[in-house]
Short mmCIF file of all heavy atoms in Angstrom, two decimals:
data_model
loop_
_atom_site.label_atom_id
_atom_site.label_comp_id
_atom_site.label_asym_id
_atom_site.label_seq_id
_atom_site.Cartn_x
_atom_site.Cartn_y
_atom_site.Cartn_z
N TYR A 1 -2.19 -1.01 4.53
CA TYR A 1 -1.74 -2.43 4.82
C TYR A 1 -2.97 -3.26 4.77
O TYR A 1 -4.10 -2.80 4.68
CB TYR A 1 -1.06 -2.51 6.21
CG TYR A 1 0.31 -1.97 6.39
CD1 TYR A 1 0.57 -0.70 6.39
CD2 TYR A 1 1.36 -2.89 6.59
CE1 TYR A 1 1.88 -0.31 6.45
CE2 TYR A 1 2.56 -2.51 6.70
CZ TYR A 1 2.85 -1.16 6.68
OH TYR A 1 4.19 -0.72 6.86
N ARG A 2 -2.75 -4.57 4.54
CA ARG A 2 -3.88 -5.51 4.69
C ARG A 2 -3.55 -6.68 5.53
O ARG A 2 -2.38 -7.05 5.69
CB ARG A 2 -4.27 -5.92 3.20
CG ARG A 2 -3.22 -6.70 2.40
CD ARG A 2 -3.70 -6.82 1.09
NE ARG A 2 -2.73 -7.64 0.26
CZ ARG A 2 -2.83 -7.78 -1.10
NH1 ARG A 2 -3.80 -7.17 -1.74
NH2 ARG A 2 -1.96 -8.56 -1.72
N GLN A 3 -4.59 -7.44 6.01
CA GLN A 3 -4.38 -8.53 6.84
C GLN A 3 -5.42 -9.58 6.65
O GLN A 3 -6.61 -9.28 6.63
CB GLN A 3 -4.33 -8.08 8.24
CG GLN A 3 -3.86 -9.27 9.27
CD GLN A 3 -3.69 -8.78 10.71
OE1 GLN A 3 -4.25 -7.68 11.07
NE2 GLN A 3 -2.86 -9.35 11.42
N VAL A 4 -5.04 -10.90 6.42
CA VAL A 4 -5.83 -12.03 6.43
C VAL A 4 -5.87 -12.54 7.85
O VAL A 4 -4.83 -12.69 8.50
CB VAL A 4 -5.46 -13.06 5.39
CG1 VAL A 4 -6.31 -14.30 5.49
CG2 VAL A 4 -5.49 -12.37 4.07
N GLN A 5 -7.05 -12.99 8.35
CA GLN A 5 -7.07 -13.50 9.72
C GLN A 5 -6.09 -14.67 9.91
O GLN A 5 -5.99 -15.60 9.08
CB GLN A 5 -8.48 -14.03 10.09
CG GLN A 5 -8.69 -14.44 11.49
CD GLN A 5 -10.11 -14.66 11.88
OE1 GLN A 5 -11.05 -14.50 11.06
NE2 GLN A 5 -10.33 -15.18 13.00
N GLY A 6 -5.27 -14.63 10.98
CA GLY A 6 -4.37 -15.65 11.22
C GLY A 6 -2.94 -15.39 10.66
O GLY A 6 -2.08 -16.20 10.83
N LYS A 7 -2.83 -14.35 9.86
CA LYS A 7 -1.52 -14.03 9.13
C LYS A 7 -1.05 -12.66 9.50
O LYS A 7 -1.89 -11.84 10.14
CB LYS A 7 -1.73 -14.14 7.62
CG LYS A 7 -2.26 -15.51 7.12
CD LYS A 7 -1.76 -15.76 5.79
CE LYS A 7 -0.25 -16.26 5.85
NZ LYS A 7 0.27 -16.60 4.46
N ALA A 8 0.21 -12.41 9.28
CA ALA A 8 0.80 -11.05 9.56
C ALA A 8 0.23 -9.97 8.61
O ALA A 8 -0.13 -10.17 7.50
CB ALA A 8 2.28 -11.19 9.42
N ARG A 9 0.07 -8.80 9.18
CA ARG A 9 -0.29 -7.67 8.48
C ARG A 9 0.81 -7.34 7.38
O ARG A 9 2.00 -7.40 7.65
CB ARG A 9 -0.31 -6.36 9.34
CG ARG A 9 -1.15 -5.28 8.72
CD ARG A 9 -1.67 -4.25 9.91
NE ARG A 9 -2.51 -4.81 10.78
CZ ARG A 9 -3.16 -4.16 11.83
NH1 ARG A 9 -2.82 -2.79 11.97
NH2 ARG A 9 -3.99 -4.69 12.56
N GLU A 10 0.32 -7.03 6.17
CA GLU A 10 1.10 -7.04 5.00
C GLU A 10 1.15 -5.59 4.44
O GLU A 10 0.12 -5.00 4.16
CB GLU A 10 0.68 -7.93 3.83
CG GLU A 10 1.28 -7.92 2.58
CD GLU A 10 0.69 -8.77 1.56
OE1 GLU A 10 -0.50 -9.06 1.60
OE2 GLU A 10 1.39 -9.21 0.56
N PHE A 11 2.29 -4.97 4.03
CA PHE A 11 2.37 -3.76 3.42
C PHE A 11 1.78 -3.78 1.99
O PHE A 11 1.98 -4.72 1.23
CB PHE A 11 3.87 -3.33 3.30
CG PHE A 11 4.13 -2.06 2.44
CD1 PHE A 11 3.78 -0.89 2.88
CD2 PHE A 11 4.54 -2.19 1.18
CE1 PHE A 11 3.94 0.27 2.10
CE2 PHE A 11 4.84 -1.06 0.30
CZ PHE A 11 4.47 0.09 0.81
N VAL A 12 1.04 -2.70 1.63
CA VAL A 12 0.39 -2.66 0.28
C VAL A 12 0.97 -1.46 -0.42
O VAL A 12 1.46 -1.64 -1.67
CB VAL A 12 -1.04 -2.49 0.42
CG1 VAL A 12 -1.71 -2.29 -0.92
CG2 VAL A 12 -1.65 -3.76 0.97
N ALA A 13 0.90 -0.29 0.11
CA ALA A 13 1.26 0.96 -0.56
C ALA A 13 1.64 1.99 0.42
O ALA A 13 1.12 2.01 1.51
CB ALA A 13 0.13 1.40 -1.63
N ARG A 14 2.49 3.04 -0.02
CA ARG A 14 2.82 4.14 0.72
C ARG A 14 2.94 5.42 -0.10
O ARG A 14 3.39 5.35 -1.26
CB ARG A 14 4.21 3.97 1.52
CG ARG A 14 4.60 5.11 2.37
CD ARG A 14 6.03 4.76 2.98
NE ARG A 14 6.53 5.76 3.98
CZ ARG A 14 7.22 6.81 3.62
NH1 ARG A 14 7.64 7.02 2.38
NH2 ARG A 14 7.56 7.62 4.57
N ILE A 15 2.45 6.60 0.48
CA ILE A 15 2.74 7.77 -0.16
C ILE A 15 3.35 8.77 0.71
O ILE A 15 2.97 8.90 1.86
CB ILE A 15 1.26 8.26 -0.74
CG1 ILE A 15 1.53 9.60 -1.55
CG2 ILE A 15 0.29 8.58 0.43
CD1 ILE A 15 0.36 9.99 -2.47
N ALA A 16 4.50 9.44 0.33
CA ALA A 16 5.23 10.35 1.06
C ALA A 16 4.46 11.67 1.08
O ALA A 16 3.56 12.00 0.39
CB ALA A 16 6.57 10.47 0.44
N ILE A 17 5.13 12.52 1.97
CA ILE A 17 4.58 13.92 2.15
C ILE A 17 4.46 14.67 0.78
O ILE A 17 3.47 15.37 0.44
CB ILE A 17 5.46 14.73 3.10
CG1 ILE A 17 5.29 14.06 4.56
CG2 ILE A 17 4.92 16.19 3.24
CD1 ILE A 17 6.30 14.71 5.50
N GLY A 18 5.58 14.53 -0.05
CA GLY A 18 5.62 15.14 -1.33
C GLY A 18 4.81 14.47 -2.47
O GLY A 18 4.83 14.98 -3.56
N GLY A 19 4.28 13.21 -2.19
CA GLY A 19 3.49 12.67 -3.17
C GLY A 19 4.15 11.44 -3.86
O GLY A 19 3.45 10.70 -4.68
N SER A 20 5.48 11.11 -3.65
CA SER A 20 5.97 10.05 -4.19
C SER A 20 5.46 8.71 -3.53
O SER A 20 5.01 8.72 -2.47
CB SER A 20 7.53 10.10 -4.07
OG SER A 20 7.90 10.01 -2.69
N THR A 21 5.34 7.65 -4.38
CA THR A 21 4.70 6.38 -3.92
C THR A 21 5.56 5.13 -4.12
O THR A 21 6.48 5.23 -4.89
CB THR A 21 3.43 6.17 -4.81
OG1 THR A 21 3.73 6.10 -6.18
CG2 THR A 21 2.48 7.37 -4.60
N ASN A 22 5.20 4.07 -3.40
CA ASN A 22 5.81 2.91 -3.58
C ASN A 22 4.76 1.72 -3.31
O ASN A 22 3.93 2.01 -2.48
CB ASN A 22 7.14 2.61 -2.82
CG ASN A 22 6.98 2.72 -1.28
OD1 ASN A 22 6.69 3.71 -0.74
ND2 ASN A 22 7.10 1.43 -0.74
N TYR A 23 4.98 0.63 -3.89
CA TYR A 23 3.89 -0.46 -3.83
C TYR A 23 4.53 -1.75 -3.57
O TYR A 23 5.70 -2.10 -3.99
CB TYR A 23 3.18 -0.49 -5.10
CG TYR A 23 2.32 0.71 -5.45
CD1 TYR A 23 2.94 1.78 -6.26
CD2 TYR A 23 1.00 0.87 -5.13
CE1 TYR A 23 2.23 2.86 -6.50
CE2 TYR A 23 0.26 2.02 -5.45
CZ TYR A 23 1.00 3.10 -6.12
OH TYR A 23 0.29 4.20 -6.46
N ALA A 24 3.84 -2.65 -2.92
CA ALA A 24 4.22 -4.05 -2.95
C ALA A 24 4.23 -4.62 -4.24
O ALA A 24 3.30 -4.20 -5.08
CB ALA A 24 3.31 -4.82 -1.95
N ASP A 25 5.13 -5.54 -4.56
CA ASP A 25 5.09 -6.20 -5.92
C ASP A 25 3.73 -6.88 -6.31
O ASP A 25 3.38 -6.84 -7.49
CB ASP A 25 6.21 -7.24 -6.02
CG ASP A 25 7.62 -6.57 -5.96
OD1 ASP A 25 7.75 -5.43 -6.28
OD2 ASP A 25 8.52 -7.38 -5.79
N SER A 26 3.00 -7.37 -5.26
CA SER A 26 1.86 -8.03 -5.64
C SER A 26 0.72 -7.15 -6.18
O SER A 26 -0.17 -7.67 -6.75
CB SER A 26 1.41 -8.83 -4.31
OG SER A 26 1.15 -7.91 -3.31
N VAL A 27 0.82 -5.89 -5.87
CA VAL A 27 -0.26 -4.91 -6.29
C VAL A 27 0.22 -3.83 -7.36
O VAL A 27 -0.49 -3.19 -7.90
CB VAL A 27 -0.91 -4.19 -5.17
CG1 VAL A 27 -1.28 -5.21 -3.99
CG2 VAL A 27 0.01 -3.18 -4.48
N LYS A 28 1.49 -3.90 -7.58
CA LYS A 28 2.04 -2.92 -8.60
C LYS A 28 1.39 -3.03 -9.91
O LYS A 28 1.20 -4.13 -10.53
CB LYS A 28 3.58 -3.09 -8.68
CG LYS A 28 4.27 -1.94 -9.30
CD LYS A 28 5.83 -2.07 -9.12
CE LYS A 28 6.17 -2.07 -7.75
NZ LYS A 28 7.68 -2.25 -7.51
N GLY A 29 1.01 -1.96 -10.45
CA GLY A 29 0.21 -1.92 -11.75
C GLY A 29 -1.27 -2.00 -11.61
O GLY A 29 -1.95 -1.78 -12.68
N ARG A 30 -1.79 -2.46 -10.53
CA ARG A 30 -3.19 -2.64 -10.30
C ARG A 30 -3.84 -1.67 -9.28
O ARG A 30 -4.89 -1.33 -9.40
CB ARG A 30 -3.46 -4.12 -9.85
CG ARG A 30 -3.01 -5.21 -10.79
CD ARG A 30 -3.48 -6.51 -10.34
NE ARG A 30 -2.95 -6.87 -9.10
CZ ARG A 30 -3.66 -7.19 -7.95
NH1 ARG A 30 -5.02 -7.07 -8.00
NH2 ARG A 30 -3.12 -7.47 -6.78
N PHE A 31 -3.04 -1.30 -8.25
CA PHE A 31 -3.49 -0.38 -7.26
C PHE A 31 -2.89 0.97 -7.41
O PHE A 31 -1.56 1.02 -7.74
CB PHE A 31 -3.19 -0.91 -5.86
CG PHE A 31 -3.91 -2.12 -5.45
CD1 PHE A 31 -4.70 -2.90 -6.36
CD2 PHE A 31 -3.82 -2.67 -4.12
CE1 PHE A 31 -5.34 -4.02 -5.89
CE2 PHE A 31 -4.58 -3.77 -3.67
CZ PHE A 31 -5.23 -4.40 -4.69
N THR A 32 -3.56 2.03 -7.00
CA THR A 32 -2.94 3.40 -6.97
C THR A 32 -3.31 4.05 -5.67
O THR A 32 -4.45 4.20 -5.38
CB THR A 32 -3.44 4.25 -8.20
OG1 THR A 32 -3.20 3.61 -9.44
CG2 THR A 32 -2.90 5.66 -8.10
N ILE A 33 -2.25 4.48 -4.96
CA ILE A 33 -2.54 5.30 -3.73
C ILE A 33 -2.47 6.76 -3.95
O ILE A 33 -1.72 7.20 -4.81
CB ILE A 33 -1.45 4.86 -2.68
CG1 ILE A 33 -1.78 5.48 -1.24
CG2 ILE A 33 0.01 5.23 -3.11
CD1 ILE A 33 -0.87 5.08 -0.18
N SER A 34 -3.34 7.53 -3.43
CA SER A 34 -3.34 9.01 -3.58
C SER A 34 -3.76 9.65 -2.27
O SER A 34 -4.31 9.00 -1.33
CB SER A 34 -4.24 9.34 -4.74
OG SER A 34 -5.60 8.98 -4.55
N ARG A 35 -3.55 10.94 -2.22
CA ARG A 35 -3.99 11.72 -1.06
C ARG A 35 -4.53 13.10 -1.47
O ARG A 35 -4.19 13.70 -2.56
CB ARG A 35 -2.80 11.94 -0.10
CG ARG A 35 -1.60 12.80 -0.64
CD ARG A 35 -0.35 12.67 0.19
NE ARG A 35 -0.67 13.20 1.56
CZ ARG A 35 -0.05 12.81 2.74
NH1 ARG A 35 1.08 11.98 2.55
NH2 ARG A 35 -0.28 13.30 3.82
N ASP A 36 -5.51 13.52 -0.66
CA ASP A 36 -6.12 14.96 -0.86
C ASP A 36 -5.83 15.69 0.39
O ASP A 36 -6.61 15.48 1.40
CB ASP A 36 -7.52 14.75 -1.26
CG ASP A 36 -8.13 16.15 -1.60
OD1 ASP A 36 -7.59 17.30 -1.16
OD2 ASP A 36 -9.19 16.18 -2.19
N ASN A 37 -4.83 16.43 0.43
CA ASN A 37 -4.45 17.09 1.61
C ASN A 37 -5.59 18.19 2.13
O ASN A 37 -5.69 18.45 3.32
CB ASN A 37 -3.14 17.79 1.60
CG ASN A 37 -1.95 16.79 1.51
OD1 ASN A 37 -2.11 15.73 1.89
ND2 ASN A 37 -0.92 17.28 0.97
#
């Protein structure tokens, strides 16, 4: 998530246990979430 001072915290990206991902429209195609278990 991300937050600008004075504004609500905003969802950016999520990765599930199995590795599937989803992104906010504002970052799709530019950001990549990953995990190293």
Side-chain angles (χ1 to χ4, degrees):
Y1 283 72
R2 64 188 182 187
Q3 187 171 30
V4 177
Q5 188 170 355
K7 305 209 73 178
R9 197 165 292 184
E10 175 190 26
F11 170 78
V12 175
R14 181 181 185 269
I15 185 165
I17 295 169
S20 63
T21 60
N22 64 289
Y23 298 89
D25 287 343
S26 59
V27 308
K28 195 170 297 180
R30 300 187 299 119
F31 291 12
T32 301
I33 188 171
S34 62
R35 64 192 300 155
D36 186 338
N37 288 338

